[in-house]
Amino acid sequence: NAGYDLRVGLFPYLYQYEGIENGTALILGSANIYPTTKNAKKWLKENSKKPHIPVKIKCSYRMMDIKLGKFGETFDLTQKKEYMPYDLYTTENLKNRYVDFETCIDVVLKDGEKKKKIFLENVNAWRLYDSKTNKIDIIGYSREYCKLDCEVLAEGYEKFRGQIKEISEKVIHPDIKKIEPDLFVDIYNQYTISSVANELLLIGGCYKDTYQFAGVVREFIQKCVVGGRV
């Protein structure tokens, strides 16, 4: 849900933001990020003459109608069991950052013993428990959780990109292949699964011997159309 991530977490760090939305759902967004940390400034100095980093925001759910928790089995990835105790992230706890161990367990147990086991395994693996204060770093937990989510999303997205490329190579029309032998539908250049399907039909020759109209002509012909989309 890129729209939620944009509004809740990213928006304060973006400049010159422009977006295309369908209701509250984000389809595509673009903006610039001006680095503030030393590492980011160093990277930018070595890789670009511009004082900012251009970013593109796409909603993966518009491309793949799959929950992130299902990416492992869908794309044959090694995916760690994920668990986020959302009820733990109250305004007070976020201000404190470090929360008593017992308080964390009481909240986590509401989701069952299995979730408690996953939570404690993550806390230990990420070294977020301070034995001296008997507290857990919940900000550190959310950071590591989000990092894993990003890694899984990136791996799944690349796998899906490869699958669409393979399909492109199988369906491309011979006449088009002669002209552009390396042509394939790249999901990097598409924003929804509908646009991917349309491009596959296009290179497959579905629209052969038909005409494409735009502007005033298209608007005039559109007035003849009755009913919804197919």
Side-chain angles (χ1 to χ4, degrees), residues 139-197:
I139 299 298
Y141 188 95
S142 64
R143 181 177 59 244
E144 293 297 329
Y145 173 87
C146 291
K147 191 186 297 182
L148 283 178
D149 268 6
C150 290
E151 291 173 356
V152 170
L153 178 59
E155 289 182 35
Y157 203 80
E158 286 298 324
K159 273 281 186 81
F160 187 69
R161 183 187 183 221
Q163 291 170 352
I164 295 299
K165 182 179 180 181
E166 289 180 13
I167 294 172
S168 301
E169 293 169 348
K170 292 178 181 178
V171 303
I172 188 169
H173 194 277
D175 292 344
I176 297 176
K177 192 171 180 64
K178 289 178 183 178
I179 302 170
E180 298 185 73
D182 298 323
L183 179 67
F184 71 96
V185 178
D186 192 344
I187 65 171
Y188 281 176
N189 302 323
Q190 307 299 323
Y191 309 118
T192 65
I193 192 63
S194 299
S195 63
V196 170

Side-chain angles (χ1 to χ4, degrees), residues 7-124:
R7 285 183 284 272
V8 174
L10 290 175
F11 200 75
Y13 306 99
L14 302 178
Y15 296 85
Q16 295 88 44
Y17 171 75
E18 294 181 354
I20 301 173
E21 298 185 3
N22 181 8
T24 58
L26 177 71
I27 298 176
L28 172 69
S30 63
N32 293 317
I33 294 179
Y34 290 83
T36 55
T37 64
K38 290 183 178 179
N39 287 338
K41 288 181 178 179
K42 181 181 178 182
W43 179 89
L44 196 59
K45 186 176 181 181
E46 294 174 351
N47 294 275
S48 174
K49 295 180 181 179
K50 299 178 180 179
H52 61 269
I53 302 172
V55 295
K56 183 184 291 185
I57 305 163
K58 293 170 62 177
C59 185
S60 62
Y61 210 60
R62 289 266 175 177
M63 183 64 67
M64 302 171 287
D65 190 11
I66 308 167
K67 291 183 178 179
L68 200 58
K70 298 288 185 181
F71 266 42
E73 59 183 274
T74 303
F75 297 111
D76 193 24
L77 307 174
T78 303
Q79 185 174 9
K80 184 179 176 63
K81 290 182 179 179
E82 59 179 46
Y83 171 64
M84 171 59 78
Y86 291 102
D87 290 343
L88 188 58
Y89 290 82
T90 63
T91 302
E92 183 180 353
N93 286 343
L94 286 171
K95 287 180 180 178
N96 294 330
R97 178 169 179 168
Y98 301 93
V99 181
D100 289 335
F101 181 85
E102 289 76 13
T103 302
C104 293
I105 297 303
D106 288 342
V107 173
V108 170
L109 277 174
K110 294 178 183 178
D111 295 326
E113 285 288 341
K114 289 185 178 179
K115 299 300 184 183
K116 173 190 170 184
K117 183 181 178 182
I118 295 172
F119 177 74
L120 290 177
E121 286 176 353
N122 290 340
V123 167
N124 290 327

